[in-house]
Coordinates of all heavy atoms in Angstrom, one line a residue:
M787 N -1.1 51.3 47.4 CA -1.7 50.6 46.2 C -0.6 49.9 45.4 O 0.5 50.5 45.1 CB -2.4 51.6 45.4 CG -3.1 51.0 44.2 SD -3.9 52.4 43.3 CE -4.2 51.5 41.8
P788 N -0.8 48.6 45.1 CA 0.3 47.9 44.3 C 0.4 48.4 42.9 O -0.6 48.7 42.3 CB -0.2 46.4 44.4 CG -1.7 46.5 44.7 CD -1.9 47.7 45.4
V789 N 1.6 48.5 42.6 CA 1.9 49.0 41.2 C 2.9 48.1 40.5 O 3.8 47.5 41.1 CB 2.6 50.4 41.4 CG1 3.0 50.9 40.0 CG2 1.7 51.4 42.1
P790 N 2.7 47.8 39.2 CA 3.5 46.9 38.5 C 5.0 47.4 38.5 O 5.2 48.6 38.3 CB 3.0 46.9 37.1 CG 1.6 47.4 37.2 CD 1.6 48.2 38.4
K791 N 5.9 46.4 38.8 CA 7.3 46.8 38.9 C 7.9 47.3 37.5 O 8.7 48.2 37.5 CB 8.1 45.6 39.4 CG 9.5 46.0 39.9 CD 10.1 44.8 40.6 CE 11.4 45.1 41.1 NZ 12.0 44.0 41.8
R792 N 7.4 46.5 36.5 CA 8.0 46.8 35.1 C 6.9 47.0 34.1 O 5.8 46.5 34.3 CB 8.8 45.7 34.7 CG 10.1 45.5 35.4 CD 10.9 44.3 34.8 NE 11.9 43.9 35.8 CZ 13.0 44.5 36.0 NH1 13.3 45.6 35.4 NH2 13.9 44.0 36.9
K793 N 7.2 47.7 33.1 CA 6.3 47.8 32.0 C 6.1 46.5 31.3 O 7.1 45.8 31.1 CB 6.8 48.9 31.0 CG 6.0 49.1 29.8 CD 6.7 50.1 28.8 CE 5.9 50.2 27.5 NZ 6.5 51.1 26.6
R794 N 4.9 46.1 30.9 CA 4.7 44.9 30.1 C 5.2 45.1 28.7 O 4.9 46.2 28.1 CB 3.2 44.6 30.0 CG 2.6 44.0 31.2 CD 1.5 43.1 30.9 NE 1.4 42.2 32.0 CZ 0.7 41.1 32.0 NH1 0.1 40.7 30.9 NH2 0.6 40.3 33.0
S795 N 6.0 44.1 28.2 CA 6.5 44.3 26.9 C 5.4 44.2 25.8 O 4.3 43.7 26.1 CB 7.6 43.2 26.6 OG 6.9 41.9 26.6
R796 N 5.7 44.7 24.6 CA 4.7 44.6 23.6 C 4.3 43.2 23.3 O 3.1 42.9 23.0 CB 5.2 45.3 22.3 CG 4.8 46.8 22.2 CD 5.4 47.4 21.0 NE 6.9 47.5 21.2 CZ 7.7 48.0 20.3 NH1 7.3 48.3 19.1 NH2 9.0 48.1 20.5
R797 N 5.3 42.3 23.3 CA 5.1 40.9 23.0 C 4.1 40.3 24.0 O 3.1 39.7 23.7 CB 6.4 40.2 23.0 CG 6.2 38.7 22.8 CD 7.5 38.0 22.8 NE 7.3 36.6 22.7 CZ 8.2 35.7 22.3 NH1 9.4 36.1 22.0 NH2 8.0 34.5 22.3
R798 N 4.4 40.6 25.3 CA 3.5 40.0 26.4 C 2.1 40.6 26.3 O 1.2 39.9 26.5 CB 4.2 40.3 27.7 CG 3.6 39.6 28.9 CD 4.5 39.7 30.1 NE 5.4 38.5 30.2 CZ 5.1 37.4 30.7 NH1 3.9 37.2 31.2 NH2 5.9 36.4 30.8
R799 N 2.0 41.9 26.0 CA 0.7 42.5 25.9 C -0.1 42.0 24.7 O -1.2 41.6 24.9 CB 0.9 44.0 25.8 CG -0.4 44.8 25.7 CD -0.2 46.2 25.1 NE 0.3 46.1 23.7 CZ 1.0 47.0 23.1 NH1 1.3 48.1 23.7 NH2 1.4 46.9 21.9
D800 N 0.6 41.9 23.6 CA -0.1 41.6 22.4 C -0.4 40.1 22.3 O -1.4 39.7 21.6 CB 0.7 42.0 21.1 CG 0.8 43.5 21.0 OD1 0.0 44.2 21.7 OD2 1.6 44.0 20.3
S801 N 0.3 39.2 23.0 CA 0.0 37.8 23.0 C -1.4 37.5 23.6 O -1.9 36.5 23.3 CB 1.1 37.0 23.7 OG 1.1 37.3 25.1
R802 N -1.8 38.5 24.4 CA -3.2 38.3 25.0 C -4.2 38.3 23.9 O -5.3 37.7 24.0 CB -3.4 39.5 26.0 CG -4.6 39.3 26.8 CD -4.9 40.5 27.7 NE -3.7 41.2 28.1 CZ -3.7 42.5 28.2 NH1 -4.7 43.3 27.9 NH2 -2.5 43.1 28.6
F803 N -4.0 39.0 22.8 CA -5.0 39.2 21.7 C -4.7 38.3 20.5 O -5.3 38.4 19.5 CB -5.0 40.6 21.2 CG -5.3 41.6 22.4 CD1 -4.3 42.4 22.8 CD2 -6.5 41.6 23.0 CE1 -4.5 43.3 23.8 CE2 -6.7 42.5 24.0 CZ -5.7 43.4 24.4
A804 N -3.7 37.4 20.7 CA -3.3 36.6 19.6 C -4.4 35.7 19.0 O -4.4 35.4 17.8 CB -2.1 35.7 20.0
N805 N -5.3 35.2 19.9 CA -6.3 34.3 19.4 C -7.6 34.9 19.2 O -8.6 34.3 19.0 CB -6.5 33.1 20.4 CG -5.2 32.3 20.6 OD1 -4.5 32.0 19.6 ND2 -4.9 31.9 21.8
K806 N -7.6 36.3 19.2 CA -8.9 37.0 19.1 C -9.6 36.8 17.8 O -10.8 36.8 17.7 CB -8.6 38.5 19.4 CG -9.9 39.2 19.7 CD -9.6 40.7 20.0 CE -10.9 41.4 20.3 NZ -10.6 42.9 20.4
G807 N -8.8 36.7 16.7 CA -9.3 36.6 15.3 C -9.7 35.2 14.9 O -10.3 35.1 13.8
I808 N -9.5 34.2 15.8 CA -9.8 32.9 15.4 C -11.3 32.7 15.4 O -12.0 33.1 16.4 CB -9.1 31.9 16.3 CG1 -7.6 31.9 16.1 CG2 -9.7 30.5 16.1 CD1 -6.9 31.0 17.0
Q809 N -11.9 32.1 14.3 CA -13.3 31.8 14.2 C -13.5 30.3 14.1 O -12.7 29.6 13.5 CB -13.9 32.6 13.0 CG -13.9 34.1 13.2 CD -14.4 34.7 12.0 OE1 -14.4 34.2 10.9 NE2 -14.8 36.0 12.1
V810 N -14.7 29.9 14.5 CA -15.0 28.5 14.3 C -15.4 28.3 12.9 O -16.3 29.1 12.4 CB -16.2 28.1 15.3 CG1 -16.6 26.7 15.0 CG2 -15.8 28.3 16.7
K811 N -14.8 27.3 12.2 CA -15.1 27.1 10.8 C -16.4 26.3 10.6 O -16.7 25.5 11.5 CB -13.9 26.5 10.1 CG -12.8 27.4 10.0 CD -11.6 26.8 9.3 CE -10.5 27.8 9.2 NZ -9.3 27.2 8.6
A812 N -17.0 26.5 9.5 CA -18.2 25.7 9.2 C -17.8 24.3 9.0 O -16.8 24.0 8.4 CB -18.9 26.3 8.0
I813 N -18.6 23.4 9.5 CA -18.3 21.9 9.3 C -19.6 21.3 8.7 O -20.7 21.4 9.2 CB -18.0 21.3 10.7 CG1 -16.7 21.9 11.2 CG2 -17.8 19.8 10.5 CD1 -16.3 21.4 12.5
T814 N -19.3 20.5 7.6 CA -20.4 19.8 7.0 C -20.1 18.3 7.2 O -19.1 17.9 7.7 CB -20.5 20.1 5.5 OG1 -19.3 19.8 4.9 CG2 -20.8 21.6 5.3
G815 N -20.9 17.5 6.6 CA -20.7 16.0 6.7 C -20.5 15.5 5.3 O -21.0 16.0 4.3
C816 N -19.6 14.5 5.2 CA -19.4 13.8 3.9 C -20.7 13.1 3.4 O -21.4 12.5 4.2 CB -18.3 12.8 4.0 SG -18.0 11.8 2.5
A817 N -21.1 13.3 2.2 CA -22.3 12.8 1.7 C -22.2 11.2 1.5 O -23.2 10.5 1.6 CB -22.7 13.4 0.3
N818 N -21.0 10.8 1.4 CA -20.8 9.3 1.2 C -20.7 8.6 2.5 O -21.3 7.6 2.7 CB -19.5 9.1 0.3 CG -19.4 7.7 -0.2 OD1 -20.4 7.1 -0.7 ND2 -18.3 7.1 0.0
C819 N -19.8 9.1 3.4 CA -19.5 8.3 4.6 C -19.9 9.1 5.9 O -19.7 8.6 7.0 CB -18.1 7.9 4.7 SG -16.9 9.3 4.9
S820 N -20.4 10.3 5.7 CA -20.9 11.2 6.8 C -19.9 11.5 7.9 O -20.2 11.7 9.1 CB -22.2 10.6 7.5 OG -21.8 9.4 8.2
L821 N -18.6 11.6 7.5 CA -17.5 12.1 8.4 C -17.7 13.6 8.4 O -18.0 14.2 7.5 CB -16.2 11.7 7.8 CG -15.5 10.4 8.2 CD1 -14.2 10.2 7.5 CD2 -15.3 10.3 9.7
P822 N -17.3 14.2 9.6 CA -17.3 15.7 9.6 C -16.2 16.2 8.7 O -15.1 15.7 8.6 CB -17.0 16.0 11.1 CG -16.5 14.7 11.7 CD -17.0 13.6 10.9
L823 N -16.6 17.3 8.0 CA -15.7 17.7 6.9 C -15.9 19.2 6.7 O -17.0 19.8 6.8 CB -16.2 17.0 5.6 CG -15.4 17.0 4.4 CD1 -14.1 16.3 4.6 CD2 -16.2 16.3 3.3
A824 N -14.8 19.9 6.3 CA -14.8 21.3 6.0 C -15.5 21.4 4.6 O -15.3 20.5 3.7 CB -13.4 21.9 5.9
P825 N -16.3 22.5 4.4 CA -17.0 22.6 3.1 C -16.0 22.8 1.9 O -14.9 23.3 2.1 CB -17.8 23.8 3.2 CG -17.3 24.5 4.4 CD -16.7 23.5 5.3
H826 N -16.3 22.3 0.7 CA -15.5 22.4 -0.5 C -14.2 21.7 -0.4 O -13.2 22.1 -0.9 CB -15.3 23.9 -0.9 CG -16.5 24.7 -0.9 ND1 -17.4 24.6 -1.8 CD2 -16.9 25.7 -0.1 CE1 -18.4 25.4 -1.6 NE2 -18.1 26.1 -0.5
Q827 N -14.2 20.6 0.4 CA -13.0 19.8 0.5 C -13.3 18.3 0.3 O -14.4 17.9 0.7 CB -12.3 19.9 1.8 CG -11.9 21.3 2.1 CD -10.7 21.4 3.0 OE1 -10.3 20.5 3.6 NE2 -10.1 22.6 3.0
A828 N -12.4 17.6 -0.4 CA -12.6 16.2 -0.6 C -12.5 15.4 0.8 O -11.7 15.8 1.6 CB -11.6 15.6 -1.6
C829 N -13.3 14.4 1.0 CA -13.3 13.6 2.2 C -12.0 12.8 2.3 O -11.7 12.1 1.3 CB -14.5 12.8 2.3 SG -14.5 11.7 3.7
S830 N -11.2 12.9 3.4 CA -10.0 12.1 3.5 C -10.4 10.7 3.9 O -9.5 9.8 3.8 CB -9.1 12.7 4.5 OG -9.7 12.8 5.8
G831 N -11.6 10.5 4.4 CA -11.9 9.1 4.9 C -12.3 8.2 3.8 O -11.8 7.0 3.8
C832 N -13.0 8.7 2.8 CA -13.5 7.8 1.7 C -13.0 8.3 0.3 O -13.1 7.6 -0.7 CB -15.0 7.7 1.7 SG -15.9 9.2 1.3
G833 N -12.4 9.6 0.2 CA -11.9 10.1 -1.0 C -12.9 10.6 -2.0 O -12.6 10.7 -3.2
H834 N -14.1 10.9 -1.5 CA -15.2 11.4 -2.4 C -15.4 12.9 -2.3 O -15.1 13.5 -1.2 CB -16.5 10.7 -2.0 CG -16.7 9.3 -2.6 ND1 -16.0 8.3 -2.1 CD2 -17.4 8.8 -3.6 CE1 -16.3 7.2 -2.7 NE2 -17.2 7.5 -3.7
Y835 N -15.7 13.5 -3.4 CA -16.1 14.9 -3.4 C -17.3 15.0 -4.4 O -17.2 14.7 -5.5 CB -14.9 15.8 -3.9 CG -15.2 17.2 -3.9 CD1 -15.4 17.9 -2.7 CD2 -15.4 17.9 -5.1 CE1 -15.8 19.3 -2.7 CE2 -15.7 19.3 -5.1 CZ -15.9 19.9 -3.9 OH -16.2 21.3 -4.0
K836 N -18.4 15.6 -3.9 CA -19.6 15.8 -4.7 C -20.0 14.5 -5.3 O -20.3 14.4 -6.5 CB -19.4 16.9 -5.7 CG -19.4 18.3 -5.2 CD -19.4 19.3 -6.3 CE -19.6 20.7 -5.7 NZ -19.6 21.7 -6.7
G837 N -19.9 13.4 -4.6 CA -20.4 12.1 -5.1 C -19.5 11.4 -6.0 O -19.8 10.3 -6.5
A838 N -18.3 12.0 -6.3 CA -17.4 11.3 -7.2 C -16.1 10.9 -6.4 O -15.7 11.7 -5.5 CB -17.0 12.2 -8.4
K839 N -15.5 9.8 -6.7 CA -14.2 9.4 -6.1 C -13.1 10.2 -6.7 O -12.8 10.1 -7.9 CB -14.0 7.9 -6.3 CG -12.8 7.4 -5.8 CD -13.0 6.7 -4.5 CE -11.8 6.0 -4.0 NZ -11.6 6.2 -2.6
V840 N -12.4 11.0 -5.9 CA -11.3 11.9 -6.4 C -10.0 11.7 -5.8 O -9.0 12.1 -6.3 CB -11.7 13.4 -6.3 CG1 -12.9 13.7 -7.2 CG2 -12.0 13.7 -4.9
L841 N -10.0 11.0 -4.6 CA -8.7 10.8 -3.9 C -8.5 9.3 -3.6 O -9.4 8.5 -3.5 CB -8.8 11.5 -2.5 CG -8.7 13.0 -2.4 CD1 -8.8 13.4 -1.0 CD2 -7.3 13.4 -3.0
V842 N -7.2 9.0 -3.6 CA -6.8 7.7 -3.1 C -6.6 7.8 -1.6 O -5.7 8.6 -1.2 CB -5.5 7.2 -3.8 CG1 -5.1 5.8 -3.2 CG2 -5.7 7.1 -5.3
T843 N -7.3 7.1 -0.8 CA -7.2 7.3 0.7 C -6.0 6.6 1.2 O -5.3 5.8 0.6 CB -8.5 6.7 1.4 OG1 -8.5 5.3 1.1 CG2 -9.7 7.4 0.9
K844 N -5.7 6.9 2.5 CA -4.5 6.3 3.1 C -4.7 4.8 3.3 O -3.7 4.1 3.1 CB -4.4 6.9 4.5 CG -3.1 6.8 5.2 CD -3.1 7.6 6.5 CE -1.7 7.5 7.2 NZ -1.7 8.2 8.4
E845 N -5.8 4.3 3.6 CA -6.1 2.9 3.7 C -5.8 2.2 2.4 O -5.2 1.1 2.3 CB -7.5 2.6 4.2 CG -7.7 2.9 5.7 CD -8.0 4.4 5.9 OE1 -8.5 5.1 4.9 OE2 -7.7 4.9 7.0
E846 N -6.3 2.8 1.3 CA -6.1 2.2 0.0 C -4.7 2.1 -0.4 O -4.2 1.1 -1.0 CB -6.9 3.0 -1.1 CG -8.4 2.8 -1.0 CD -9.2 3.8 -1.8 OE1 -8.6 4.8 -2.2 OE2 -10.4 3.7 -1.9
R847 N -3.9 3.2 -0.1 CA -2.5 3.2 -0.4 C -1.8 2.1 0.4 O -0.9 1.4 -0.1 CB -1.9 4.6 0.0 CG -1.6 5.5 -1.2 CD -0.7 6.6 -0.8 NE -1.1 7.3 0.4 CZ -1.9 8.3 0.5 NH1 -2.3 8.9 -0.6 NH2 -2.2 8.9 1.6
S848 N -2.1 2.0 1.7 CA -1.4 1.0 2.5 C -1.8 -0.4 2.1 O -0.9 -1.3 2.1 CB -1.7 1.3 4.0 OG -3.1 1.1 4.3
A849 N -3.0 -0.6 1.7 CA -3.4 -1.9 1.2 C -2.7 -2.2 -0.1 O -2.2 -3.4 -0.3 CB -4.9 -1.9 0.9
K850 N -2.5 -1.2 -1.0 CA -1.8 -1.5 -2.2 C -0.3 -1.8 -1.9 O 0.3 -2.7 -2.5 CB -1.9 -0.2 -3.1 CG -1.3 -0.4 -4.5 CD -1.4 0.9 -5.3 CE -0.7 0.7 -6.6 NZ -0.6 2.0 -7.3
R851 N 0.3 -1.0 -0.9 CA 1.7 -1.3 -0.6 C 1.8 -2.7 0.0 O 2.8 -3.4 -0.3 CB 2.1 -0.3 0.4 CG 2.5 1.1 -0.2 CD 3.2 1.9 0.8 NE 3.2 3.3 0.2 CZ 2.8 4.4 0.9 NH1 2.4 4.3 2.1 NH2 2.9 5.5 0.4
A852 N 0.9 -3.1 0.9 CA 0.9 -4.4 1.5 C 0.9 -5.5 0.4 O 1.6 -6.5 0.4 CB -0.2 -4.6 2.4
G853 N 0.1 -5.2 -0.7 CA 0.0 -6.2 -1.8 C 1.3 -6.3 -2.5 O 1.8 -7.4 -2.8
T854 N 1.9 -5.1 -2.8 CA 3.2 -5.2 -3.5 C 4.3 -5.8 -2.7 O 5.2 -6.5 -3.2 CB 3.6 -3.7 -4.0 OG1 3.6 -2.9 -2.8 CG2 2.6 -3.2 -5.0
R855 N 4.2 -5.5 -1.4 CA 5.2 -6.1 -0.4 C 5.1 -7.6 -0.4 O 6.1 -8.3 -0.5 CB 5.0 -5.5 1.0 CG 6.2 -5.7 1.9 CD 5.9 -5.2 3.3 NE 5.4 -3.8 3.2 CZ 4.4 -3.4 3.9 NH1 3.6 -4.1 4.6 NH2 4.1 -2.1 3.9
K856 N 3.8 -8.1 -0.5 CA 3.6 -9.5 -0.5 C 4.2 -10.2 -1.7 O 4.9 -11.2 -1.7 CB 2.1 -9.8 -0.4 CG 1.8 -11.3 -0.2 CD 0.2 -11.4 -0.2 CE -0.2 -12.9 -0.1 NZ -1.6 -13.0 -0.3
V857 N 4.0 -9.5 -2.9 CA 4.5 -10.0 -4.2 C 6.0 -10.0 -4.1 O 6.7 -11.0 -4.6 CB 4.0 -9.1 -5.3 CG1 4.7 -9.4 -6.6 CG2 2.5 -9.3 -5.5
R858 N 6.6 -8.9 -3.6 CA 8.0 -8.8 -3.5 C 8.6 -9.9 -2.7 O 9.7 -10.5 -3.0 CB 8.4 -7.4 -3.0 CG 9.9 -7.0 -3.1 CD 10.1 -5.6 -2.7 NE 9.6 -5.4 -1.4 CZ 9.1 -4.2 -0.9 NH1 9.2 -3.2 -1.7 NH2 8.6 -4.1 0.3
D859 N 8.0 -10.1 -1.5 CA 8.5 -11.2 -0.6 C 8.4 -12.5 -1.3 O 9.3 -13.4 -1.1 CB 7.7 -11.2 0.7 CG 8.0 -9.9 1.5 OD1 9.0 -9.2 1.2 OD2 7.2 -9.7 2.5
E860 N 7.3 -12.8 -2.0 CA 7.2 -14.1 -2.7 C 8.3 -14.2 -3.8 O 8.9 -15.3 -3.9 CB 5.8 -14.1 -3.4 CG 4.7 -14.4 -2.4 CD 3.3 -14.2 -3.0 OE1 3.2 -13.9 -4.2 OE2 2.3 -14.4 -2.3
R861 N 8.6 -13.1 -4.5 CA 9.6 -13.2 -5.5 C 11.0 -13.4 -4.9 O 11.8 -14.2 -5.4 CB 9.6 -11.9 -6.3 CG 8.5 -11.8 -7.3 CD 8.6 -10.5 -8.1 NE 7.5 -10.4 -9.0 CZ 7.1 -9.2 -9.5 NH1 7.8 -8.1 -9.2 NH2 6.1 -9.1 -10.3
K862 N 11.2 -12.8 -3.7 CA 12.5 -12.9 -3.0 C 12.6 -14.4 -2.5 O 13.7 -15.0 -2.6 CB 12.5 -12.0 -1.8 CG 13.8 -11.8 -1.2 CD 13.8 -10.8 -0.1 CE 15.1 -10.6 0.7 NZ 15.0 -9.7 1.8
A863 N 11.5 -14.9 -2.0 CA 11.6 -16.3 -1.5 C 11.9 -17.3 -2.7 O 12.7 -18.2 -2.5 CB 10.3 -16.6 -0.8
A864 N 11.2 -17.0 -3.8 CA 11.5 -17.8 -5.0 C 12.9 -17.7 -5.4 O 13.5 -18.7 -5.8 CB 10.5 -17.4 -6.1
R865 N 13.5 -16.5 -5.4 CA 14.8 -16.3 -5.8 C 15.8 -17.0 -4.9 O 16.8 -17.7 -5.3 CB 15.2 -14.8 -5.8 CG 15.7 -14.3 -7.1 CD 16.0 -12.8 -7.1 NE 14.9 -12.0 -6.8 CZ 14.8 -11.0 -5.9 NH1 15.8 -10.7 -5.2 NH2 13.7 -10.3 -5.8
Q866 N 15.5 -16.9 -3.6 CA 16.4 -17.6 -2.6 C 16.3 -19.1 -2.8 O 17.3 -19.8 -2.6 CB 16.0 -17.2 -1.2 CG 16.4 -15.8 -0.8 CD 16.0 -15.4 0.5 OE1 15.1 -16.0 1.1 NE2 16.5 -14.3 1.0
A867 N 15.1 -19.6 -3.1 CA 14.9 -21.1 -3.3 C 15.7 -21.6 -4.5 O 16.3 -22.6 -4.4 CB 13.4 -21.4 -3.5
T868 N 15.8 -20.7 -5.5 CA 16.5 -21.1 -6.7 C 18.0 -20.9 -6.5 O 18.9 -21.6 -7.0 CB 16.1 -20.3 -7.9 OG1 16.2 -18.9 -7.7 CG2 14.7 -20.7 -8.3
A869 N 18.4 -19.9 -5.6 CA 19.8 -19.5 -5.4 C 20.5 -20.5 -4.5 O 21.7 -20.7 -4.6 CB 19.9 -18.1 -4.9
E870 N 19.7 -21.1 -3.5 CA 20.4 -22.0 -2.5 C 21.1 -23.2 -3.1 O 22.2 -23.5 -2.7 CB 19.3 -22.4 -1.5 CG 19.1 -21.3 -0.5 CD 17.9 -21.6 0.5 OE1 17.3 -22.7 0.4 OE2 17.5 -20.7 1.3
P871 N 20.5 -23.9 -4.1 CA 21.2 -25.0 -4.6 C 22.5 -24.7 -5.3 O 23.5 -25.4 -5.2 CB 20.2 -25.6 -5.6 CG 18.9 -25.2 -5.2 CD 19.1 -23.8 -4.6
T872 N 22.5 -23.5 -6.0 CA 23.8 -23.1 -6.7 C 24.8 -22.7 -5.6 O 26.0 -23.0 -5.8 CB 23.5 -21.9 -7.6 OG1 22.9 -20.8 -6.8 CG2 22.6 -22.2 -8.7
S873 N 24.4 -22.1 -4.5 CA 25.4 -21.7 -3.5 C 26.0 -23.0 -2.8 O 27.1 -23.0 -2.4 CB 24.8 -20.8 -2.5 OG 23.7 -21.5 -1.8
E874 N 25.2 -24.0 -2.7 CA 25.7 -25.3 -2.2 C 26.7 -26.0 -3.1 O 27.6 -26.7 -2.7 CB 24.5 -26.2 -1.9 CG 23.7 -25.7 -0.7 CD 22.4 -26.5 -0.5 OE1 22.1 -27.4 -1.3 OE2 21.6 -26.2 0.4
Q875 N 26.5 -25.8 -4.4 CA 27.3 -26.4 -5.4 C 28.7 -25.8 -5.3 O 29.7 -26.5 -5.6 CB 26.8 -26.2 -6.8 CG 25.5 -27.1 -7.0 CD 24.9 -26.8 -8.3 OE1 25.3 -25.8 -9.0 NE2 23.8 -27.5 -8.7
Q876 N 28.8 -24.5 -5.0 CA 30.1 -23.8 -5.1 C 31.0 -24.2 -4.0 O 30.7 -24.7 -3.0 CB 29.9 -22.3 -5.1 CG 29.4 -21.8 -6.4 CD 29.0 -20.3 -6.3 OE1 29.1 -19.7 -5.2 NE2 28.6 -19.7 -7.4
Ligands
ZN1569 ZN1 -16.4 10.4 3.1

């Protein structure tokens, strides 16, 4: 009859039960955009919680950054346009 050569370590034995306590969490839908959502959490898709806007979403942040980047680039271009004639004078 085959017999294990070595004793299983505690780590190896207990890792078998490592995921035993994991439970499937309840999932609800966002009332505003119907994305799947954990209960009692603000929606990351639209930033709403209980019908009120509470978060700035990633898209809104990136849109805002793109707007500021555009303004900055325009200012830089204007600065370069004014700076070029002076550099030619020197
Ligand atoms: Zn939502």
Side-chain angles (χ1 to χ4, degrees):
M787 184 181 165
V789 176
K791 191 171 186 180
R792 290 181 199 284
K793 177 184 175 180
R794 285 212 156 195
S795 67
R796 266 178 288 177
R797 177 181 175 159
R798 193 165 263 278
R799 181 199 64 203
D800 293 345
S801 67
R802 191 184 330 142
F803 307 108
N805 297 321
K806 197 178 176 187
I808 292 178
Q809 293 177 338
V810 177
K811 291 184 178 174
I813 295 175
T814 60
C816 175
N818 191 49
C819 68
S820 71
L821 269 179
L823 191 65
H826 308 291
Q827 297 210 347
C829 177
S830 60
C832 65
H834 279 73
Y835 181 70
K836 286 190 174 179
K839 179 99 173 139
V840 294
L841 284 179
V842 179
T843 62
K844 197 174 180 181
E845 288 81 26
E846 290 166 347
R847 255 195 315 267
S848 63
K850 188 182 175 187
R851 282 193 192 126
T854 55
R855 197 181 307 132
K856 189 180 173 188
V857 168
R858 191 175 51 209
D859 289 346
E860 286 171 358
R861 284 181 185 159
K862 192 177 177 184
R865 236 182 294 132
Q866 285 176 347
T868 57
E870 279 173 7
T872 56
S873 63
E874 287 171 0
Q875 288 170 356
Q876 289 174 352

